[in-house]
Amino acid sequence: MAINTVVWNEFLHERENAEVKAIYPDGIHLAIARALSGDPNLAVSTATLDEPEHGLPQSRLDGTDVLLWWGHRAHGRVSDEVARRVQQRVAEGMGLIVLHSGHFSKIFKLLMGSPCSLRWREAGERERVWAINRSHPIAHGIGEHIELPNAEMYGEPFLVPEPLETVFISWFQGGEVFRSGLTYQRGAGRIFYFSPGHETYPIYHNAAIQQVLRNAVNWAYNPAPAWKDVSDGVNVPVARAREPLVATGPSVHRPGEAGLR
Amino acid sequence: MAINTVVWNEFLHERENAEVKAIYPDGIHLAIARALSGDPNLAVSTATLDEPEHGLPQSRLDGTDVLLWWGHRAHGRVSDEVARRVQQRVAEGMGLIVLHSGHFSKIFKLLMGSPCSLRWREAGERERVWAINRSHPIAHGIGEHIELPNAEMYGEPFLVPEPLETVFISWFQGGEVFRSGLTYQRGAGRIFYFSPGHETYPIYHNAAIQQVLRNAVNWAYNPAPAWKDVSDGVNVPVARAREPLVATGPSVHRPGEAGLR
Amino acid sequence: MAINTVVWNEFLHERENAEVKAIYPDGIHLAIARALSGDPNLAVSTATLDEPEHGLPQSRLDGTDVLLWWGHRAHGRVSDEVARRVQQRVAEGMGLIVLHSGHFSKIFKLLMGSPCSLRWREAGERERVWAINRSHPIAHGIGEHIELPNAEMYGEPFLVPEPLETVFISWFQGGEVFRSGLTYQRGAGRIFYFSPGHETYPIYHNAAIQQVLRNAVNWAYNPAPAWKDVSDGVNVPVARAREPLVATGPSVHRPGEAGLR
Amino acid sequence: MAINTVVWNEFLHERENAEVKAIYPDGIHLAIARALSGDPNLAVSTATLDEPEHGLPQSRLDGTDVLLWWGHRAHGRVSDEVARRVQQRVAEGMGLIVLHSGHFSKIFKLLMGSPCSLRWREAGERERVWAINRSHPIAHGIGEHIELPNAEMYGEPFLVPEPLETVFISWFQGGEVFRSGLTYQRGAGRIFYFSPGHETYPIYHNAAIQQVLRNAVNWAYNPAPAWKDVSDGVNVPVARAREPLVATGPSVHRPGEAGLR
């Protein structure tokens, strides 16, 4: 069964900046979608900021297995409602791949709970993305590292929580390091942050980067049914306790009342 | 130098529910503050929901080393601004101890990025809080477990991220288990969630629970200076790179421009 | 392509203890192997202590994708050489499922680096295995918990390193709790410890327990090629550095010398 | 009360290699001991390979709060008995700081359970040690990075388990990266691995490196009483269960028997 994969892009720089347009004439989302389509397990579509509800109405998200997110200059234009909706779907089990400048997106900051800040420099310098565990499913087929002749520098400290796994760490020509591939779990959903992908360099045309993206979608896919009530506090009444119980003592709840929150 | 410790309480049930008032006539915050004051390293004060800015103006938070948080029925009345302010202070290095029903507080959900939901039952049943690592600083002096004759049941699944450390797991008479003591890091700040503390039972009068709270404040205290710009993306221009660099390629930023976000 | 799965069992109690023999007349290994064979992706065989090299010569381990390990009273009879060989194969990428009393096996202690000690009681009491994340691949199809009417109690503290993920926590009738399902990574290999399985109760005949075992094998399988030199320190000479380098300063190594260890 | 700190060194290269001797005429252990002595909380002594029991008899280890370990070419000469003894003391609560080439020491490999292998090059190249969390107690006072003009390159992949915290990551002139500061927990003991420290460069004379070592000793110190029986499986008989129990079913143990292992 195909993994329903949606590539989201704010799609602004590609329309307004001639140099970016030259690299991604159809937008970063289509470049990534084409790369993912090389994997026959993936059913890929795209969504962009300017579509109604940013292309992510509830019904579409409910049918999405894995979402990729690229945004840079318009994080603030993403509605809080859509960001919360994506957060809830991740908790229910949808996979999420956050790309490059998406570190400052609403959805990534909501899911991390930390500032997600970093150091940066746009100088076209060399980046070498080292695989920390080359046998990790996300690093499959990459070898020991990926070399990017021109990249935006992202440097530590990167203010994210300790990850489940550090999959990649990048070396930069100008002297910095960066944890460029990190995994997280939130509820039933798996999250992968991957930092390469600045829009003024053809990074998503790099075959090894495309391989990481395909790997990451497969890794993030959770075939379990959506955990729809994952955010609900659930009362287990005395009569349904697993062991015989007699209630005792005072209560701040009335019988049958929903929990406080 | 004393650790400036603030105990925050919504302080509603103690004023409106006779049974809660009988247990905590001056409020849960004062009961906890008295327990903490047994530690001469701690300078303890309190804050409540109905004070201006909930008692947590920026100036006071800036001088707070560790904040304890108890809330239950009025999470929604805490202003978004104050919740964000607390989140920022945690990122800068303030310690945070979230208590019991605070699992559904705005601040805890903001920091965790996950639903923080759980199962619950108010039946006055027995809870046994097992120390997973009795040599952890937060478990100091507790022995192998704490026995609570009457407690509200909180049961798994508890929808929080994988913790740095699982310090306590609780057994409940009715058949459930719960990870009742968990540590996290967000930015420079340490977070401890501790689940015992329902308001209809005298749990904060229990000597072992009080010991855990004192331990937790000492553990959460970070003596490093506040990391004030922890949330800022910082540009490192080519001229200040650690290794000699010549910029190359196109740019989406103008020189000297602040980063996009 | 089938996942080559080997079920290892010391196979002593089933031959010497009439009550254990009544439950597992062909040995625990064959009961587990039959349960795994319900999954068409798995090619299952068995090995036991009394076979030459305990049934695990290098050539067989080299072709094993996932190994399950059940031992209890004869951990000391497993040769150090075979234990080290299994450890190396895990580092290369073989999955390992350690069952019940295997917590004190040579191989588990070697991989954990900690005492792996716990509390125990053999009283046939009730155990309830709670799924902490019911959407985790290992918990697939289990529901919220597994109820075992008779089990040996394993209780905290369980002296293992903090896991990557806590998948199950057990409640025991006698008042204890236990982290009964834990995941780890060592090198390229994934490890799952699963505590239910005492030999005097028919636990491996339980359908939900069998489902967990099938899930765990699929989860632990790493399709990456074996990382054969995973344990070698690798010298990267100046001439093969990724960036131009001129060696400077004194050396404790002669050119071309293998690293010290 | 002072933290009893022992600096262990194999002390071979300083006696046999003129260039190493010129940098550390009294041995690396004494250079480190002097650096630690700048902290009035620490009571520092040393031990070396050639002393009886390598200077680490049981009685001395029992009184040691934190042990630092430097070894390189004679890991194999450390007796298995002493390595196991140190491992047990870590489980009981002793802190351990493993330095540089100690990544391949018996004690570190025992505690990690993984190969601990890495890439290396001895070319005197530049290393920049970046603080991932500059507010971590081990990074206190360091600032954003430490610059070492000449260092041995240690490069990823570094085959260790996922750490509790990544404190430092190093950049190397030749193009590699390395997780140079990592924390772990084993039983009651805290472990810090810190990679800088090659013997042909004066790295332990660097003030920032010395600061990290002092910080690390304070961080690793666990004031809890030694957990002497941390490695024992403990039987909890039915009569001492926390909840009333009646034993049922067959048993492989006789009453009062010690557990199998």
Side-chain angles (χ1 to χ4, degrees), chain A residues 117 120 122-123 230 236 248 251-252, chain B residues 117 120 122-123 230 236 248 251-252:
Chain A
S117 55
W120 62 277
E122 198 187 21
V230 69
V236 182
T248 177
S251 173
V252 295
Chain B
S117 55
W120 63 276
E122 197 187 20
V230 70
V236 183
T248 177
S251 172
V252 294

Side-chain angles (χ1 to χ4, degrees), chain D residues 1 10 24 50 53 82 101 119 131 133 193 244 256:
Chain D
M1 202 181 69
E10 65 178 30
Y24 297 114
D50 286 344
E53 303 186 61
V82 167
S101 41
R119 321 304 112 183
N133 177 356
Y193 174 76

Side-chain angles (χ1 to χ4, degrees), chain B residues 97-100 129 146 168 180-181 192-196 209 212-213:
Chain B
I97 319 289
V98 175
L99 297 168
H100 188 61
V129 184
I146 301 171
F168 298 110
S180 42
F192 179 60
Y193 174 75
F194 189 51
S195 64
I209 296 292
V212 169
L213 297 180

Side-chain angles (χ1 to χ4, degrees), chain A residues 121-130 147-155 170-178 201, chain B residues 236 238 240-249, chain C residues 242-244, chain D residues 126 128 130 147 171-177:
Chain A
R121 177 176 54 235
E122 198 187 21
E125 68 200 273
R126 188 156 55 258
E127 175 178 2
R128 191 173 291 107
V129 183
W130 287 93
E147 188 130 353
L148 299 170
N150 300 103
E152 183 181 34
M153 184 280 287
Y154 273 13
S170 285
W171 176 99
F172 285 94
Q173 187 181 354
E176 284 88 357
V177 296
F178 193 70
Y201 318 111
Chain B
V236 183
V238 169
R240 292 221 321 273
R242 299 293 161 184
E243 302 289 326
L245 261 192
V246 177
T248 177
Chain C
R242 300 293 161 183
E243 302 290 326
Chain D
R126 189 156 54 258
R128 192 172 291 106
W130 287 92
E147 190 132 352
W171 177 100
F172 286 93
Q173 187 180 354
E176 285 88 356
V177 295

Side-chain angles (χ1 to χ4, degrees), chain C:
Chain C
M1 201 182 69
I3 298 173
N4 285 317
T5 307
V6 174
V7 184
W8 192 92
N9 180 16
E10 65 178 30
F11 195 30
L12 297 178
H13 273 137
E14 302 97 316
R15 292 187 287 168
E16 300 170 9
N17 179 309
E19 284 155 326
V20 177
K21 191 172 190 171
I23 301 172
Y24 297 114
D26 302 320
I28 283 175
H29 51 303
L30 278 174
I32 291 175
R34 285 176 197 132
L36 297 179
S37 298
D39 182 337
N41 291 327
L42 311 188
V44 186
S45 61
T46 65
T48 57
L49 180 67
D50 286 345
E51 298 173 40
E53 302 188 63
H54 314 319
L56 299 172
Q58 187 67 52
S59 58
R60 187 174 189 196
L61 271 181
D62 285 344
T64 300
D65 294 315
V66 180
L67 177 67
L68 296 96
W69 194 273
W70 198 100
H72 195 172
R73 51 177 273 199
H75 296 319
R77 285 179 49 199
V78 174
S79 78
D80 288 345
E81 189 188 338
V82 168
R84 294 266 171 215
R85 191 186 291 167
V86 172
Q87 182 181 23
Q88 168 66 16
R89 269 294 293 146
V90 170
E92 294 173 7
M94 183 181 73
L96 180 70
I97 319 289
V98 175
L99 297 169
H100 187 61
S101 41
H103 72 92
F104 258 165
S105 62
K106 278 189 186 177
I107 178 59
F108 192 58
K109 294 204 289 184
L110 275 176
L111 287 163
M112 294 296 104
S114 71
C116 303
S117 55
L118 47 75
R119 319 307 110 180
W120 62 277
R121 178 176 53 235
E122 197 187 22
E125 67 201 273
R126 189 156 52 258
E127 175 177 2
R128 192 172 291 107
V129 183
W130 287 93
I132 297 310
N133 177 356
R134 72 184 188 216
S135 291
H136 192 284
I138 297 179
H140 179 71
I142 298 310
E144 64 178 20
H145 60 68
I146 302 170
E147 188 130 353
L148 300 170
N150 300 103
E152 185 182 34
M153 184 280 287
Y154 273 12
E156 297 282 348
F158 182 26
L159 272 293
V160 285
E162 285 291 331
L164 277 188
E165 302 157 308
T166 299
V167 181
F168 298 110
I169 296 178
S170 285
W171 176 100
F172 286 93
Q173 188 180 353
E176 284 88 356
V177 295
F178 193 70
R179 290 171 294 165
S180 42
L182 300 173
T183 69
Y184 294 92
Q185 180 92 11
R186 290 291 179 271
R190 286 172 157 191
I191 301 165
F192 179 59
Y193 174 76
F194 188 51
S195 64
H198 195 56
E199 63 264 47
T200 63
Y201 318 111
I203 289 174
Y204 294 121
H205 297 316
N206 179 297
I209 296 291
Q210 293 180 350
Q211 179 69 42
V212 170
L213 296 180
R214 283 188 296 267
N215 292 342
V217 172
N218 281 281
W219 170 86
Y221 171 58
N222 188 341
W227 189 339
K228 298 305 291 180
D229 64 348
V230 69
S231 298
D232 298 348
V234 177
N235 180 238
V236 183
V238 170
R240 293 221 321 271
R242 300 293 161 183
E243 302 290 326
L245 261 193
V246 177
T248 177
S251 173
V252 295
H253 301 279
R254 281 178 296 270
E257 182 191 82
L260 303 171
R261 55 186 302 174

Side-chain angles (χ1 to χ4, degrees), chain D residues 70-88:
Chain D
W70 199 99
H72 194 171
R73 53 177 272 199
H75 297 318
R77 284 178 50 200
V78 174
S79 78
D80 287 346
E81 188 189 337
V82 167
R84 294 265 171 215
R85 191 186 290 166
V86 171
Q87 182 182 24
Q88 168 66 17

